[in-house]
Amino acid sequence: MRDFRLALAQIKPTLGDLERNLERHLDFVDRAAAAGADLVVFPEQSLTGYFLSDLVADAALRRGAELLQPLRQASRGIDVIFGFVEETDDHRFLPAAAYLHHGEFAHVHHKVYLVTYGLFDEARDLAAGSSVRAFDTRFGRQAMLICEDLWHPTTASIAAADGADVIHGLSSSPGRGVAGGRGQLGSAETWRRLNRCYAQLHVCYVAHCNRVGFEDGVNFWGGSEVIGPDGEPLARAPEFEEALIVADLQDAALRRQRARLPLRRDEDPALNSREFARLAARRYQTDAG
Amino acid sequence: MPADPSLRARAQAGLQLDAGLVCRVLEAFIRDEIGKFGIQRAVVAVSGGIDSAVSCALAARALGPAQVRAVLLPYRTSNPASRADAETLVERLGVSSVVIDISAAVDGLLRELDDDPSPLRRGNVMARARMMALYDQSEAFGGLVVGTSNKTELLLGYGTQFGDMASAVNPIGDLYKTQVQALAEALDVPCAIREKAPSADLWAGQSDEEELGFGYAPADQALYLLIDEMYRPADLTAAGFDAALVCDLQRRVVRSQFKRRLPVIAKLSNRTIDRDFRYPRDWGR
């Protein structure tokens, strides 16, 4: 990995107002650049807002959309990761995280695990992605996952096995759970546990960028953070308010931790592959039977 | 199955609030959800009870006292102490206030009825007269109506539909009664309001807990386990909860479901409001 400065843009998107959200993105890209960042990350569906429901078809964009041009242009200065809803040629709408570099889409991840339970109803309106890949950037290999993806530990395992030195989590995480004695929201507590766990077990950087603001009474709690490969937080944004935080990611820290804890070296994709293939076949047989 | 005493402890722990955190979320909620409509003001029906005191205090903290109007809506049979408590609260919070006596409106309507309405019907008329006056003040003051129904009464259906249940934004609808009581302390609501027995004050001597036939504390614990933790009624009775109480709560929640939803619409088209025409409330906000 090449050392670089990462910025997380914890913004408050307006539901369904893409123009306004675009302005907010451009503003935060400028601020990140001014803070010396090489890459700035926005939250899940940062360009569209989250609880879209029937607005999905209006908010979805093709990669070539005119509206995206200013943001692509801005990525000629620093790299940008942002969230939107992508429309495919056959008119499916997929929650997407895009990595922009020098005006181009270097990589797009589509959320593989849609969330359809409790207060969530994504599978009604959206289509799921079908792959998890790390990809090369000018700073080394990285991967992007979207919110619910990270509630399935296998996605992070794939990203790490694919060589990601940085795993970006883009979220629109609703704040809930206010029981006393914890000092934080239940959802915040869980996310912080997950982020630290992923960083430590996969011996990589984890950057979790969560939005703020309210939609239909639901709060998004923010608290974006960057976790080092030893599982310790490097930077953390405040809760409930817009913020830009930066952290310096260093190859030396990765090297030191991997020398101490060679978990990644010892991970065995062939073992995983055999066992998952067996389980997939069994599930298929069970379903068919 | 042996009784599980830990279930009651689980409910007690689950109902404990981090008051500072809750206030922070609820103040931001009021500011944000009202602000989205280009409005910075709120009106709250203040009865002298604890629910409206908490809603009003949160609104005052969220928007600033000058942006909040407390609307006092006494009826001639209301307990005079309620009005005094409401005035103490208004003074402490520094919000503006207006008193609108609903006696003439309510009595005028009741006079037109040719039977002798039950206390329940009279109570509903009062609650809806208050709603009318409150929504008039919403327009007059240029503020949205901040609701005062807590989670316990919403779940039990212990409120008047299109009456005290009506509001634009409700900061306390996800807090059980006993949680509202805990929050009142953190918000420095006057002692007199916090310490008196909860009452709808629709007639002299009315008491919520007498009328419901159970106390809020055990009811909240049972509701928390049934609703928030998704335990089954049998789990609660096995853990030592009163079977009659659990059964009564469950029945009330089911029977009042309609009160928590929009009126049911007969489906005819391919895209029916709220059924397959589903847009967020904050559409374009």
Side-chain angles (χ1 to χ4, degrees):
Chain A
M1 189 184 88
R2 240 189 69 198
D3 293 356
F4 73 103
R5 180 168 287 183
L6 173 67
L8 302 185
Q10 178 172 294
I11 64 164
K12 173 183 167 180
T14 301
L15 190 56
D17 191 340
L18 275 65
E19 282 82 7
R20 186 165 164 186
N21 293 332
L22 175 68
E23 289 306 315
R24 206 89 199 105
H25 281 67
L26 297 174
D27 178 34
F28 271 76
V29 171
D30 284 347
R31 288 170 56 180
D38 301 294
L39 166 64
V40 58
V41 184
F42 289 87
E44 174 183 23
Q45 289 181 210
S46 57
L47 200 64
T48 60
Y50 181 67
F51 286 110
L52 289 167
S53 240
D54 281 8
L55 285 169
V56 158
D58 297 329
L61 293 172
R62 307 296 195 95
R63 279 179 217 193
E66 198 56 38
L67 185 118
L68 292 174
Q69 284 307 320
L71 193 57
R72 293 174 72 155
Q73 195 59 34
S75 76
R76 292 181 183 281
I78 64 172
D79 294 3
V80 176
I81 292 176
F82 75 103
F84 71 118
V85 178
E86 179 166 23
E87 180 167 356
T88 59
D89 288 342
D90 60 345
H91 309 299
R92 285 172 301 133
F93 310 114
L94 299 96
Y99 191 109
L100 296 177
H101 167 64
H102 216 263
E104 297 302 326
F105 284 82
H107 186 77
V108 174
H109 168 73
H110 295 130
K111 191 175 194 173
V112 289
Y113 286 108
L114 298 183
V115 49
T116 306
Y117 57 78
L119 75 162
F120 305 105
D121 201 9
E122 290 186 351
R124 175 181 180 267
D125 311 307
L126 296 158
S130 53
S131 70
V132 174
R133 298 270 193 280
F135 55 96
D136 288 316
T137 72
R138 60 194 172 111
F139 316 109
R141 268 178 100 65
Q142 304 194 359
M144 302 181 291
L145 295 168
I146 303 175
C147 209
E148 185 76 359
D149 289 340
L150 282 161
W151 285 68
H152 295 261
T154 41
T155 59
S157 299
I158 296 167
D162 203 3
D165 290 330
V166 186
I167 296 176
H168 299 283
L170 287 71
S171 282
S172 289
S173 166
R176 53 212 193 277
V178 290
R182 313 173 98 122
Q184 58 185 340
L185 289 162
S187 42
E189 190 180 8
T190 305
W191 268 109
R192 285 171 181 148
R193 193 185 303 136
L194 291 182
N195 293 335
R196 293 185 66 156
C197 203
Y198 285 132
Q200 193 157 20
L201 292 181
H202 295 308
V203 201
C204 65
Y205 285 98
V206 168
H208 182 235
C209 189
N210 185 30
R211 60 163 289 183
V212 290
F214 284 81
E215 289 181 3
D216 284 19
V218 175
N219 76 81
F220 300 95
W221 56 275
S224 301
E225 62 182 5
V226 181
I227 311 293
D230 56 356
E232 292 303 314
L234 294 175
R236 182 176 284 171
E239 295 182 357
F240 307 118
E241 54 193 72
E242 288 195 317
L244 182 92
I245 59 165
V246 297
D248 291 313
L249 277 52
Q250 295 169 332
D251 186 60
L254 273 183
R255 183 178 190 278
R256 198 166 51 247
Q257 190 63 14
R258 286 180 189 168
R260 291 169 58 193
L261 203 61
L263 302 178
R264 201 177 258 235
R265 179 196 69 193
D266 299 342
E267 184 71 15
D268 182 359
L271 168 70
N272 295 337
S273 170
R274 277 196 310 277
E275 295 304 324
F276 278 118
R278 176 177 64 80
L279 295 170
R282 190 171 77 185
R283 177 160 172 176
Y284 174 75
Q285 280 171 356
T286 308
D287 289 350
Chain B
M1 204 160 56
D4 178 7
S6 67
L7 210 53
R8 194 174 289 278
R10 188 179 177 87
Q12 284 165 343
L15 287 165
Q16 295 288 316
L17 282 184
D18 186 330
L21 181 62
V22 169
C23 286
R24 197 165 172 214
V25 171
L26 296 182
E27 287 163 35
F29 162 82
I30 291 169
R31 258 193 312 275
D32 202 274
E33 292 291 3
I34 290 180
K36 274 176 190 166
F37 290 79
I39 293 169
Q40 276 75 42
R41 291 181 144 194
V43 295
V44 192
V46 169
S47 66
I50 199 161
D51 298 314
S52 59
V54 166
S55 281
C56 193
L58 287 167
R61 284 167 65 144
L63 305 170
Q67 304 300 320
V68 177
R69 178 176 285 181
V71 185
L72 281 59
L73 299 154
Y75 179 68
R76 58 186 170 76
T77 61
S78 301
N79 187 344
S82 302
R83 165 108 179 243
D85 288 339
E87 282 168 349
T88 309
L89 179 80
V90 163
E91 200 173 315
R92 181 169 296 189
L93 295 176
V95 298
S96 65
S97 69
V98 58
V99 181
I100 301 167
D101 192 308
I102 60 164
S103 305
V106 168
D107 291 346
L109 180 70
L110 293 178
R111 257 199 312 276
E112 296 301 314
L113 304 176
D114 51 13
D115 56 356
D116 185 23
S118 64
L120 175 72
R121 283 175 62 195
R122 287 171 179 274
N124 283 337
V125 168
M126 289 175 216
R128 291 181 180 126
R130 291 195 169 103
M131 181 275 293
M132 223 160 51
L134 182 62
Y135 272 80
D136 170 66
Q137 287 304 298
S138 168
E139 181 63 27
F141 186 65
L144 290 189
V145 173
V146 172
T148 57
S149 296
N150 63 59
K151 190 171 187 173
T152 308
E153 62 190 29
L154 286 173
L155 284 171
L156 298 179
Y158 192 58
T160 300
Q161 200 181 20
F162 315 120
D164 53 296
M165 289 177 77
S167 70
V169 298
N170 181 357
I172 64 165
D174 205 13
L175 291 171
Y176 289 101
K177 182 74 177 190
T178 49
Q179 293 179 309
V180 172
Q181 288 165 337
L183 203 59
E185 199 176 342
L187 286 165
D188 198 24
V189 166
C191 276
I193 295 177
R194 282 192 276 126
E195 283 164 9
K196 67 185 172 187
S199 166
D201 198 18
L202 296 171
W203 55 85
Q206 191 184 12
S207 149
D208 289 2
E209 290 174 319
E210 254 172 51
E211 197 168 82
L212 288 164
F214 47 76
Y216 276 120
D220 282 359
Q221 289 172 11
L223 285 170
Y224 171 80
L225 293 169
L226 291 169
I227 305 297
D228 292 65
E229 299 275 1
M230 292 173 78
Y231 282 97
R232 295 163 306 168
D235 300 328
L236 271 68
T237 47
F241 278 81
D242 178 46
L245 170 67
V246 173
C247 179
D248 186 26
L249 292 172
Q250 183 74 14
R251 187 184 56 90
R252 284 176 187 265
V253 170
V254 174
R255 278 182 43 165
S256 61
Q257 175 64 3
F258 75 95
K259 285 191 179 181
R260 294 182 290 270
R261 304 295 301 268
L262 278 182
V264 65
I265 293 173
K267 184 167 177 63
L268 292 170
S269 73
N270 287 325
R271 232 169 151 220
T272 307
I273 293 162
D274 243 32
R275 173 77 44 190
D276 21 39
F277 174 85
R278 289 196 219 168
Y279 286 86
R281 183 178 185 278
D282 291 348
W283 188 359
R285 305 284 177 180

